[in-house]
Amino acid sequence: MNVIIPTQDSRMGEIIEKVRHGQRLTLEDGVFLYESDDLLTIGQLANEVALRKNGKKVYFIENMSLYFTNVCEAHCAFCNFRKDEGDPGAYTLSGEQMIEYVEQHIHPGVREFHIVGGHNQHVPFQYYVDSLKALNEKYPDVTLKAYTAAEIDFFSRISGLSYKEVLQELMKAGLKSLTGGGAEILSDHYRKKMRVTKADVSQYLDVHRTAHNLGLRTHTTMLYGSIETKEDRIRHLMQIRELQDETNGFLVFIPLSMQPINPKAGIRRRNSAFEDLKTIAISRLMLDNFQHIKAYFINIGVQLTQVALTMGASDAHGTIVKEKISHAAGALTPEGITREDLIWLIKGAGRIPVERDTFYNEIKIYE
């Protein structure tokens, strides 16, 4: 589908040729794309790749976000979700309390629990195992996609177990996939500056490598829009691309647009729509070995998500029900969305909505 507007930029022309001939883009290529203001060409090229990989299908899932605890030992500069033990609003739910919450909010058709939370050092590793076990026993047909790589590293530290042993214990309790969070920007300089005291770059990658080797398919993210450089972003993409070459264990890449700490912050404190679309498109072009790039409506809004489906994204996330982390940090978007609205949103972009499970098996196609 060669519909790209002719460009006078020879460098852009070279990149178009590379993409069309299946050649991998380099660090220099990625940085050039970030520095270009030719969003339409970048977006059309990403669209071409997405159509080649998935046709007009765009995937979504009926899922529900759960947060067992917001108590956290880490003090990441960008987080407004975390609390210290004893702070107003701090909480740690038992499995029974979480089931009570789920019963109040769940709707028919939910296929996945997306579970993340704080690194609460006041409870043992067994608490995190039991949390999954309680949900798995009550809702055996709902897939448990739980914990970030940073949480797995934290569990390893408090339990004295290896990553492999931690994951095996969680798998016995019902774990089926890891969430993508905790990546932030895969740069040790960035992590030091942003006070990311949880898992470092090599630990984040090693947790996912270990999970993949145990047969778990996982998700991965990039939190962009603070102090990182364009080169930092491209190096981040290249590191997960390299691990994907090694294991083929990632299901999807999720670019996360940084939210300001203050919900009342103006547009100058947020990523521009231009930057969000460009990041999704560049991710699609750089990550040639990923099947899916997600447009996360919680961070970029539903209308921009719709546009992103024509610029490289092939996943519109899910119903969520009640998202808390981005909203604690100032997201102005809905906390969830209905299945009907997701279908409308995807069809409105000229795409075919496909309801999926956690592993992108197709449940229903809405022609």
Side-chain angles (χ1 to χ4, degrees):
M1 184 179 172
N2 301 334
V3 295
I4 290 175
I5 299 161
T7 175
Q8 300 306 308
D9 190 315
S10 61
R11 186 83 178 82
M12 186 69 82
E14 287 170 19
I15 289 174
I16 291 169
E17 286 306 303
K18 282 177 90 167
V19 170
R20 286 185 170 161
H21 289 93
Q23 290 175 259
R24 178 160 279 185
L25 298 188
T26 63
L27 174 68
E28 293 73 23
D29 292 332
V31 171
F32 170 83
L33 291 172
Y34 257 123
E35 289 174 348
S36 167
D37 61 2
D38 190 355
L39 177 62
L40 287 180
T41 297
I42 297 167
Q44 284 183 61
L45 190 58
N47 185 49
E48 209 174 279
V49 174
L51 289 171
R52 195 190 307 151
K53 284 183 174 285
N54 299 293
K56 288 197 163 188
K57 289 179 176 178
V58 168
Y59 295 79
F60 73 92
I61 188 169
E62 288 258 16
N63 66 346
M64 187 172 181
S65 289
L66 305 179
Y67 311 86
F68 272 92
T69 181
N70 61 354
V71 175
C72 191
E73 65 168 14
H75 291 78
C76 304
F78 45 77
C79 184
N80 211 33
F81 173 76
R82 69 159 308 281
K83 302 281 186 188
D84 287 318
E85 180 94 324
D87 279 355
Y91 68 87
T92 302
L93 303 181
S94 67
E96 292 69 32
Q97 289 171 312
M98 181 57 82
I99 286 167
E100 196 177 307
Y101 170 85
V102 172
E103 285 180 335
Q104 289 169 8
H105 295 92
I106 198 168
H107 50 82
V110 165
R111 298 180 182 282
E112 174 188 281
F113 291 138
H114 176 107
I115 303 164
V116 292
H119 300 191
N120 186 345
Q121 71 276 38
H122 303 286
V123 291
F125 170 54
Q126 192 60 41
Y127 162 81
Y128 297 95
V129 176
D130 291 343
S131 299
L132 294 192
K133 202 176 284 179
L135 281 174
N136 194 41
E137 286 171 1
K138 178 73 177 175
Y139 302 101
D141 297 329
V142 180
T143 301
L144 299 186
K145 182 179 81 179
Y147 307 134
T148 66
E151 285 173 279
I152 301 301
D153 175 71
F154 167 70
F155 300 157
S156 173
R157 281 191 284 113
I158 62 171
S159 67
L161 300 173
S162 67
Y163 293 161
K164 183 179 180 181
E165 290 165 333
V166 164
L167 288 164
Q168 285 172 327
E169 285 302 307
L170 294 170
M171 287 165 76
K172 280 187 218 161
L175 178 74
K176 294 292 192 295
S177 179
L178 293 184
T179 70
E184 323 317 355
I185 294 291
L186 294 174
S187 152
D188 287 324
H189 169 74
Y190 167 95
R191 294 170 104 73
K192 187 175 180 183
K193 197 131 185 175
M194 293 297 282
R195 304 198 307 273
V196 184
T197 51
K198 52 194 180 184
D200 64 22
V201 174
S202 62
Q203 288 166 332
Y204 178 89
L205 294 169
D206 200 36
V207 168
H208 281 282
R209 178 182 290 108
T210 305
H212 298 168
N213 288 338
L214 286 170
L216 291 176
R217 306 294 302 281
T218 69
H219 305 68
T220 189
T221 61
M222 176 176 74
L223 182 67
Y224 64 92
S226 59
I227 63 163
E228 82 281 355
T229 64
K230 303 293 191 286
E231 188 173 315
D232 286 335
R233 294 183 194 175
I234 299 300
R235 287 190 186 280
H236 178 112
L237 296 174
M238 291 174 72
Q239 287 179 88
I240 58 170
R241 185 174 74 181
E242 196 176 305
L243 182 55
Q244 184 75 330
D245 277 344
E246 183 188 327
T247 65
N248 195 33
F250 288 121
L251 289 160
V252 60
F253 172 70
I254 309 123
L256 298 174
S257 187
M258 177 78 81
Q259 303 298 303
I261 291 293
N262 181 357
K264 294 178 182 172
I267 61 170
R268 283 172 293 165
R269 299 295 302 279
R270 300 171 185 273
N271 285 321
S272 68
F274 194 84
E275 191 78 357
D276 288 332
L277 289 174
K278 197 193 279 189
T279 298
I280 286 167
I282 291 171
S283 301
R284 178 64 286 166
L285 295 172
M286 292 297 298
L287 298 176
D288 51 36
N289 53 5
F290 275 67
Q291 191 69 23
H292 299 288
I293 306 296
K294 183 175 290 188
Y296 189 50
F297 72 82
I298 287 292
N299 286 23
I300 66 172
V302 289
Q303 287 170 305
L304 203 59
T305 292
Q306 194 174 46
V307 179
L309 302 181
T310 70
M311 291 194 171
S314 54
D315 187 289
H317 198 57
T319 48
I320 297 178
V321 182
K322 193 170 176 62
E323 195 280 337
K324 292 184 180 178
I325 292 179
S326 289
H327 284 88
L332 301 176
T333 52
E335 292 177 321
I337 192 170
T338 66
R339 174 208 299 245
E340 291 71 29
D341 281 349
L342 271 172
I343 291 166
W344 174 88
L345 182 151
I346 295 166
K347 283 187 171 178
R351 296 301 198 254
I352 300 165
V354 181
E355 188 177 348
R356 64 173 176 86
D357 67 9
T358 300
F359 309 103
Y360 288 84
N361 297 307
E362 297 181 358
I363 307 298
K364 186 174 181 184
I365 300 171
Y366 295 84
E367 291 285 3

